[in-house]
Amino acid sequence: MDAQVPGTAPGTAAAPPAGSHPGAAGSPGPDAAGPERTWSLQREWSRAFLVMLTALLIGAVVTIVGVRGLMNQVEETSRRLQVELEKVEVLRSALDAHEQLGHQLLANAPADRSAFVRQQDEISRLFGETAAVLPGDTASREKLDAARQSWQEALAAHGLWGSQVQSLQGSHLDQTPAFAASSAAIRMQLADIRRYSLAEMDDGLAHSAELERFLFIGRSALFVAALGATAYFRRRMVKDIIRPVESMHHGVRKLQAGNYNHRIEVFRRDELGELAEAFNGMALAVRNSHEALTHRATHDPLTGLANRAALMEHLTASFGAGSTRRNRNEGLLFIDIDDFKEVNDSLGHERGDALLVQLAARLVACVRSDDMVARLGGDEFAIVVMDDDAGSVTAGIAERIHEALRAPFFVGEDRLTVTASMGAVQRRLDTSDAAELLRQADFAMYLAKHGGKARLQLFDAEGYDHMTYRAALKRDLAAAAPEGQLRLEYQPIVDLTSGAILGVEALVRWQHPTLGLLAPSEFIPIAEETGDIDAVGCWVLDTASRQAAGWRKALPRCEHLWVSVNLSTIQLPNPRNLAAIKRILADPAAQADKVVLEVTETALAGSTDGGIAALKTLKETGVRVAIDDFGTGYSSLSSLAVLPADILKIDRSFLGRQASEAQSAAMLEGILGLARMLSLEVVAEGVEDRRQLELLRALDCHMGQGYFLARPAPAEMIVALLAAGAPLQPGPAELERAVDS
Ligand code: C2E
Ligand code: CA
Ligand code: CA
C-alpha cells in the first residue's frame, strides 16, 4: 500500500523552480471541481437500512396477523361449540319431558293430549334450530337428522305422532319398553352429536397448531434472510468503509513520520474516496512546501549556492558515519573577496549583489561537478574539494579562480576587476570536526589577506596552534582573577653595599587549570588586549600592598620595606579603573607611601596624554613611581624631566654580555649621573653575577635586583628570607663589620 508518486523517489525530488507557489503543482485545491462522484455511501447505506426496516416491519405484521388469526380460530370454535351444546341440551331435556308424557299416554293415564302435540311441534322447531347451528355436511348434522328421523318414526310407531295422539285409546303398557328403548337410542344419538362437536373442536385446534407452524417457518425464513443481509452489509462495510479508513489512517501516520511521497489508495469514488483524494492533494502540497523550505534553508537566496548551514552539514557528514576515503581526503578552500566593502560603498549594495552573483557563477565554473561551492555570507565563499590527497587539486582550483578573476566584471555601466584572498586546508587525521576544518581554512585565508591579498595561503599548523593557544588563554583569562588562579612571587630589591632587602617587586603568575603555571610574558600582553589587565592589575596591587603591609608589621627590621607593583599603561586611561586603583591605594591597609608603581618608559612615552596625568593623580596618595626597563624606550631625555618619576630601574640589557664592559660602564655611568641630577633613585636590574655586582658598586649604584642577589620566590620563602635578616651578597665592608660584631 506504499503508493509512491511515479517518478519521484524519496529524497531526490528536484527543487521547485524559483517563484513557484508550493501548493500550485498538482494539488486539486478546495474549490477545484473534481470528477463526478460515482458512488454514494449515504445513498447506499440509507437503502440498506430501509431494506432492513421493511423486513422488520413485514416480520412484525406477519406475526401480529398470524397470532390474531389463531386466536380468532380458537374463539370461533369454542363459541360455536357452546351454542351447539346448549341447543342439544335444550333438545335433550325437551325430548325427555316429551318421553315422560308419551309414557303417561301409553299407560292411559290422564294427560293433556293437545299439550303433547304442542310439545311435539316445539321439539320439531328445536330440531330445526339445532340443525341450523350445526355446520352442514358434518357427522353431527347427519346424526341430528337421523335422531329426528328416529324420533318421528318411534312416535309414529307407537301412535303418538301428531293427529294419531287424539285417536290413541286404552292402555298400551306393553309398548312402553319399546318406546323407552327407542328414546334411549335417540338420547344416544344426541350424545354422539356432542362427541362429534368435541372432536370438531379438536380439529379446529389442530388447525391452529398448523397455522402456528406456518408462522414459525415464516419467522425463521425472515430471520435467515436478516442474517444473510447482515453478513452482506458487514462485508460491504469492511470493503467500503473500514479499509479506506484504515488506509487513510496509515497515510496520515506516514505523513507524520515525514514520508511526503506516500499516497492513499482511492478504492472507489465515494465520500471516502473524495476524502482520500483531498488527503493526497494535501500531502502533495506539504511535500512541495517542505521541499521549498528545505531549499530555502540550505541555499543562499542571492547566488543559489549552498549556504553555510549546508556546507557544515556536508562537512559534518563526511566526518561522521558517512565518511569515505574520498571525503576523508577532502580539501577546503576559503575565499574572501579583497576590498569588497569598497565596491559596496562606492556602487551600492544592489550592484555589489550583482557582482556577487557573477562571481558565484565563475567560482562554480572553476570546480569539478562533485565539489561543493558555498556562500558563507557577505563576500566569503568556500569550496569543498573532494578526494584531494596531497592538496594539489585544491591548489589547482585556487589557480583557476585567480585566472577566472583576471577578466573584468560588468555591473551596469561599471567595469570592475576584483581579486580574492584564499586559504586552503587539507583534512588531516587529527582534524577534530567540520567546524575546526573551516576555522583552519579561515585562518589560512586571514594570513593570505595579511600577507598582501590576491593570493593563496596554505594552512600552517604551527601558526594555527599558536593562535588557538592564544585564543584559549583569551577565553579563560576573565576567570583567572575571580576564580583565584593568580599567584604572586616577590623578588627582593637589595642595598648593594649592605646586602639588605629594601623592597620587593611583586611578579604575577597564572596557575592555569589545564596549562599549568604561566609566566606573565605569556598572558599579560593578552590581558592588555582583552582588557582583563584591569582586573589582574587591581588584584596584584591589592594583594601585594596588603601582604607587604603585613610583613612590615610582623617581621623585625622590615618597617621600611616597600613593595613594587608593575602597572600596565593600559590601566591608566580608563577612569573607572583609575578610580579602582586609587581606592586600593587610599585604603590605609595598603600603606601607599610604601608602594612603588612601576611603569615602563616605552608605555608612558606612547601615552603621554592620559598616562602621565593619571600617574600624577595617583601620586597624591603618597605612592612612588618607578620608570621600569629604563633605557630600552629611546625616549628623549627631555621627556624624562616631565615624568612624575621617583626611581629609575635600569634595564638589564645595560649589564648584559652583548655590550663590552667598557661600553656598558660608560652608559651606566651616564644614566647614574643623569639620575643624580634629576634627584632620582636608581635600581639596576638583571644582576646575574659577582662581576656585575662589583661594577655597580664601583659606579656607586646603590640598589640592585637580579638572580645573583635573589630570584623571584613565593611569599613563604620571602618571609623566611626577611625573617632571617641575613644580608644578600654583602660587600667586603659589610662582611668585615659582620665579623667584628
Ligand atoms: P619586569 O617588570 O622587568 O620584571 C622583572 C622580570 O625580570 C621578571 O620576570 C624577573 O623574573 C626577571 N628577572 C629578575 N632578575 C633577573 C635576572 O637577573 N636575569 C634575568 N634574565 N631576568 C631577571 P617575570 O616575572 O617573568 O616578569 C616579566 C615581566 O612581566 C615583568 O618585567 C613585567 O613587565 C611583567 N609583569 C610581571 N608582573 C606583572 C604585573 O603584575 N603587572 C604587569 N602589568 N606586568 C607584570
Ligand atoms: Ca618591573
Ligand atoms: Ca624591568
Side-chain angles (χ1 to χ4, degrees):
M1 246 204 255
D2 247 15
Q4 296 284 350
V5 174
T8 51
T12 60
S20 78
H21 187 271
S27 93
D31 48 4
E36 268 298 292
R37 185 187 295 167
T38 43
W39 298 89
S40 165
L41 282 173
Q42 191 192 353
R43 211 165 46 224
E44 272 175 50
W45 287 90
S46 299
R47 261 186 217 153
F49 285 121
L50 203 69
V51 167
M52 303 253 250
L53 217 65
T54 313
L56 263 169
L57 206 69
I58 291 171
V61 168
V62 166
T63 309
I64 291 167
V65 170
V67 169
R68 186 76 255 148
L70 216 63
M71 291 303 291
N72 286 349
Q73 179 95 32
V74 172
E75 263 171 32
E76 166 65 20
T77 308
S78 75
R79 194 181 45 77
R80 192 164 49 79
L81 201 71
Q82 203 174 340
V83 172
E84 277 175 27
L85 293 179
E86 271 170 14
K87 290 283 178 201
V88 171
E89 193 51 42
V90 171
L91 186 62
R92 205 178 54 83
S93 23
L95 283 171
D96 284 351
H98 196 57
E99 190 195 343
Q100 288 298 317
L101 216 51
H103 277 294
Q104 283 180 13
L105 286 175
L106 286 180
N108 207 16
D112 186 353
R113 291 176 189 243
S114 50
F116 183 76
V117 172
R118 274 202 310 280
Q119 224 175 15
Q120 240 171 37
D121 290 343
E122 178 60 20
I123 287 172
S124 294
R125 195 186 53 79
L126 281 176
F127 264 115
E129 271 182 19
T130 308
V133 298
L134 286 179
D137 280 346
T138 59
S140 13
R141 182 69 174 274
E142 271 172 28
K143 276 284 172 211
L144 186 75
D145 290 343
R148 188 176 191 168
Q149 188 79 29
S150 310
W151 173 64
Q152 280 180 3
E153 282 169 4
L155 285 173
H158 297 286
L160 293 173
W161 182 250
S163 51
Q164 287 179 309
V165 178
Q166 298 300 338
S167 48
L168 186 69
Q169 297 294 329
S171 171
H172 300 279
L173 270 175
D174 56 326
Q175 288 181 23
T176 312
F179 183 62
S182 56
S183 290
I186 290 165
R187 261 198 298 279
M188 285 288 284
Q189 278 169 321
L190 283 183
D192 277 351
I193 290 175
R194 214 180 144 135
R195 222 178 56 242
Y196 285 141
S197 288
L198 285 173
E200 249 176 63
M201 191 169 81
D202 277 352
D203 268 5
L205 287 179
H207 184 64
S208 300
E210 200 171 321
L211 208 66
E212 194 202 330
R213 207 170 59 246
F214 276 130
L215 201 64
F216 175 76
I217 290 169
R219 291 288 313 180
S220 300
L222 270 174
F223 180 73
V224 169
L227 212 66
T230 308
Y232 171 75
F233 286 127
R234 192 189 166 278
R235 240 193 61 228
R236 288 290 302 275
M237 195 169 76
V238 168
K239 183 168 166 274
D240 299 339
I241 300 177
I242 306 296
R243 258 173 58 205
V245 167
E246 271 174 357
S247 142
M248 238 177 287
H249 181 237
H250 179 71
V252 171
R253 297 291 287 271
K254 286 258 174 188
L255 192 67
Q256 274 177 339
N259 181 349
Y260 303 112
N261 290 316
H262 177 78
R263 296 291 176 267
I264 294 176
E265 191 182 338
V266 179
F267 291 92
R268 289 196 320 184
R269 293 207 51 82
D270 58 14
E271 287 89 335
L272 287 176
E274 282 175 354
L275 192 61
E277 269 173 1
F279 176 89
N280 287 345
M282 188 188 74
L284 183 67
V286 169
R287 193 195 70 189
N288 289 343
S289 65
H290 171 76
E291 279 170 5
L293 280 175
T294 313
H295 188 265
R296 214 175 299 162
T298 54
H299 287 76
D300 168 43
L302 178 66
T303 59
L305 295 177
N307 63 12
R308 180 185 283 269
L311 176 97
M312 290 312 283
E313 197 176 317
H314 180 88
L315 286 177
T316 306
S318 77
F319 273 86
S323 167
T324 62
R325 192 195 61 79
R326 275 168 60 73
N327 52 30
R328 268 198 299 279
N329 286 331
E330 69 202 347
L332 184 64
L333 196 61
F334 199 110
I335 304 159
D336 188 287
I337 308 308
D338 295 327
D339 307 315
F340 183 74
K341 189 177 174 309
E342 280 169 26
V343 176
N344 257 350
D345 289 350
S346 59
L347 303 181
H349 281 269
E350 248 171 62
R351 298 217 165 157
D353 283 354
L355 174 63
L356 287 175
V357 172
Q358 292 184 32
L359 210 109
R362 288 199 197 176
L363 290 182
V364 171
C366 293
V367 302
R368 300 164 307 174
S369 63
D370 56 351
D371 298 333
M372 180 190 217
V373 184
R375 183 179 172 214
L376 302 177
D379 59 342
E380 287 181 349
F381 296 86
I383 296 173
V384 183
V385 182
M386 299 296 288
D387 199 13
D388 185 11
D389 219 344
S392 57
V393 183
T394 309
I397 289 176
E399 185 47 46
R400 279 206 293 281
I401 292 172
H402 279 311
E403 200 58 44
L405 294 185
R406 257 188 254 287
F409 289 89
F410 293 95
V411 178
E413 310 85 61
D414 297 300
R415 182 180 187 277
L416 301 167
T417 311
V418 297
T419 58
S421 298
M422 291 181 255
V425 65
Q426 209 51 40
R427 185 173 153 186
R428 293 174 311 174
L429 280 175
D430 61 348
T431 313
S432 64
D433 58 13
E436 190 184 17
L437 192 70
L438 190 64
R439 271 199 304 274
Q440 291 177 344
D442 191 3
F443 175 70
M445 185 282 293
Y446 172 85
L447 292 186
K449 232 356 137 199
H450 286 261
K453 301 181 183 171
R455 52 192 285 274
L456 170 71
Q457 171 73 51
L458 299 182
F459 175 67
D460 158 35
E462 212 171 286
Y464 180 76
D465 288 346
H466 179 69
M467 184 207 69
T468 47
Y469 177 75
R470 272 179 65 92
L473 288 189
K474 261 189 189 177
R475 193 189 55 222
D476 301 342
L477 200 54
E483 291 187 4
Q485 294 166 1
L486 297 178
R487 310 271 179 271
L488 278 187
E489 286 192 355
Y490 296 92
Q491 187 178 28
I493 294 163
V494 180
D495 182 328
L496 294 181
T497 358
S498 67
I501 299 173
L502 302 172
V504 288
E505 180 176 2
L507 296 161
V508 72
R509 278 93 182 85
W510 178 13
Q511 185 68 52
H512 188 278
T514 55
L515 301 171
L517 194 68
L518 302 179
S521 56
E522 288 182 85
F523 64 92
I524 292 290
I526 299 174
E528 288 179 338
E529 238 175 71
T530 60
D532 289 311
I533 189 66
D534 292 346
V536 173
C538 283
W539 180 85
V540 172
L541 180 63
D542 191 46
T543 312
S545 57
R546 282 163 186 278
Q547 200 153 33
W551 295 339
R552 249 169 255 134
K553 214 172 132 197
L555 300 170
R557 298 178 303 279
C558 286
E559 55 278 7
H560 300 298
L561 183 82
W562 42 270
V563 64
S564 248
V565 172
N566 293 284
L567 213 62
S568 163
T569 38
I570 308 281
Q571 288 173 266
L572 295 176
N574 176 355
R576 262 209 3 240
N577 191 49
L578 188 66
I581 296 173
K582 231 176 161 174
R583 238 190 338 270
I584 295 169
L585 291 172
D587 188 336
Q591 301 184 344
D593 59 327
K594 300 283 191 314
V595 174
V596 174
L597 298 179
E598 295 193 5
V599 194
T600 61
E601 179 201 4
T602 343
L604 265 189
S607 67
T608 30
D609 47 342
I612 291 170
L615 274 182
K616 281 181 176 159
T617 65
L618 287 179
K619 283 196 72 169
E620 289 164 14
T621 62
V623 79
R624 285 184 295 161
V625 171
I627 306 298
D628 204 356
D629 303 343
F630 184 76
T632 55
Y634 310 106
S635 63
S636 70
L637 292 176
S638 59
S639 71
L640 188 60
V642 299
L643 291 178
D646 302 284
I647 302 168
L648 277 189
K649 292 188 79 174
I650 304 175
D651 190 71
R652 66 168 173 268
S653 56
F654 289 92
L655 283 179
R657 285 163 216 276
Q658 66 267 49
S660 79
E661 208 146 310
Q663 263 179 334
S664 33
M667 304 252 286
L668 281 170
E669 210 172 352
I671 296 171
L672 286 167
L674 181 74
R676 217 166 288 130
M677 278 194 284
L678 293 170
S679 315
L680 298 173
E681 290 187 75
V682 174
V683 176
E685 291 186 307
V687 184
E688 290 182 345
D689 54 38
R690 178 162 297 280
R691 201 179 37 81
Q692 292 170 338
L693 175 64
E694 295 306 336
L695 174 66
L696 291 169
R697 277 177 181 160
L699 291 172
D700 208 13
C701 176
H702 295 300
M703 291 185 281
Q705 184 183 355
Y707 292 165
F708 184 64
L709 301 165
R711 287 189 174 257
E716 315 83 71
M717 288 173 71
I718 295 298
V719 168
L721 208 59
L722 289 170
L728 302 169
Q729 304 298 342
E734 294 305 311
L735 281 174
E736 269 167 36
R737 215 174 300 152
V739 169
D740 289 351
S741 61

